[in-house]
Amino acid sequence: MKKTSILAAVLIIVGFAFIAWQKTDQGRQNKSDAGMGNTTLAEVLLPSTLSQSAQIGKRAFEEKCMACHGINAAGQVEVAPPLVHKIYEPSHHGDESFQRAASLGVRAHHWSFGDMPAVEGLTRGDVTMIVAYIRELQRTNGIN
């Protein structure tokens, strides 16, 4: 009985020490991210290559969308949602949803960021290329 009690006590102490270590390590990571101004909402894996359409879309995204939706469409805390997210998979938000959001704006319905205004200066062709970029990012991140 005594060996079992000692073993149980050691396991509990090791467990608490591990939890404390994880929290300390996570705290260091959060401070590091905060110091770098990291406000992204999603971790986005990048494809090894982009199609020509997606390359054009990436440039248009960076010019017109990135200020709100963040680098590589990862979203930004308290600004705008990540577009590399299951909510925006093609079966839920088809390509035309992106066209309408860019040209007409969209009322908030999945997130609490507020309404999205229309984006000035984008043609349907521009948005088509932006969507190609977003879809390639999504596929790379397992969103089909």
Side-chain angles (χ1 to χ4, degrees):
M1 277 302 230
K2 193 171 187 177
K3 285 183 181 181
T4 305
S5 298
I6 292 171
L7 180 59
V10 168
L11 289 175
I12 290 170
I13 291 169
V14 168
F16 281 123
F18 180 75
I19 291 168
W21 173 78
Q22 278 189 317
K23 286 185 178 185
T24 302
D25 190 51
Q26 183 63 41
R28 278 191 218 114
Q29 181 65 39
N30 289 343
K31 286 179 187 171
S32 173
D33 288 350
M36 296 174 63
N38 186 358
T39 61
T40 60
L41 294 170
E43 185 175 326
V44 177
L45 302 173
L46 301 177
S48 56
T49 60
L50 291 171
S51 68
Q52 187 174 18
S53 294
Q55 289 175 28
I56 295 167
K58 179 180 182 195
R59 287 191 294 275
F61 178 89
E62 289 171 348
E63 183 181 325
K64 295 290 189 173
C65 312
M66 187 171 73
C68 294
H69 288 286
I71 297 170
N72 301 315
Q76 293 192 83
V77 173
E78 297 182 12
V79 180
L83 300 175
V84 180
H85 190 281
K86 187 166 178 60
I87 285 176
Y88 297 104
E89 69 184 348
S91 65
H92 188 69
H93 281 87
D95 295 358
E96 189 61 25
S97 295
F98 288 92
Q99 291 285 352
R100 293 180 58 80
S103 66
L104 303 172
V106 66
R107 289 172 51 145
H109 57 285
H110 288 295
W111 308 90
S112 60
F113 294 102
D115 298 342
M116 178 183 148
V119 181
E120 298 291 322
L122 284 177
T123 66
R124 280 189 68 82
D126 295 333
V127 176
T128 297
M129 298 299 158
I130 291 168
V131 171
Y133 170 61
I134 292 167
R135 296 301 189 208
E136 288 186 27
L137 289 174
Q138 289 175 336
R139 281 190 295 276
T140 299
N141 288 273
I143 301 167
N144 297 316

